[in-house]
Amino acid sequence: AFLFPAMSVFISLRYAEANNEAQRVQQELIAAGIDAFICDPLPGTDMSQLIAEKIESSDVCVIMGTEGYGEETKSNFSTYQELQFIQDEKKPIVVLKMCDRYKHARTRMLLPNSVSYVP
């Protein structure tokens, strides 16, 4: 077994596009002894406070880079706001790119093809 320093990972995703894959990533990280968080959204609730706290306390953020990642929605908090907060907090980012091209120009600008890890 590998020994990892205590580490906390926030997994950012669009649930409709990457929930199953994100769950598998979370399970593998936990099996390796790494604390990995995925927000479990409850319909109609504002999860922004919990998400902000988890991003703030994380050591690294894993982005499940699906086609619609970074889309601004009618929700109080979406991957649009998550990505902005992750970058504002200067969190290291690991991108698991799951598409050929992001749908939104802003996402393509912030997560260009050359990026897989941002220290």
Side-chain angles (χ1 to χ4, degrees):
F2 293 102
L3 295 177
F4 293 95
M7 178 180 269
S8 176
V9 173
F10 178 85
I11 301 172
S12 179
L13 70 142
R14 294 211 53 199
Y15 294 93
E17 296 178 345
N19 190 41
N20 291 337
E21 295 85 353
Q23 295 289 334
R24 285 195 295 266
V25 169
Q26 181 187 40
Q27 290 168 0
E28 292 296 323
L29 290 171
I30 290 171
I34 298 171
D35 178 38
F37 176 81
I38 296 175
C39 183
D40 187 9
L42 302 173
T45 60
D46 179 8
M47 302 302 290
S48 61
Q49 181 67 34
L50 176 61
I51 291 170
E53 289 172 1
K54 290 295 188 175
I55 291 171
E56 180 183 46
S57 67
S58 70
D59 297 304
V60 66
C61 295
V62 171
I63 291 177
M64 305 300 288
T66 54
E67 185 178 0
Y69 186 86
E71 181 170 334
E72 189 169 21
T73 67
K74 294 178 183 178
S75 167
N76 289 337
F77 212 75
S78 63
T79 55
Y80 180 92
Q81 289 91 354
E82 283 182 23
L83 179 56
Q84 187 64 56
F85 189 63
I86 289 166
Q87 292 197 318
D88 288 348
E89 292 291 302
K90 298 183 177 13
K91 293 295 178 178
I93 298 171
V94 174
V95 179
L96 302 179
K97 191 160 184 197
M98 302 171 65
C99 63
D100 291 329
R101 180 177 165 92
Y102 297 114
K103 179 173 153 183
H104 304 286
R106 178 179 178 270
T107 306
R108 292 193 305 271
M109 179 183 72
L110 296 173
L111 300 174
N113 286 336
S114 61
V115 170
S116 60
Y117 171 73
V118 179

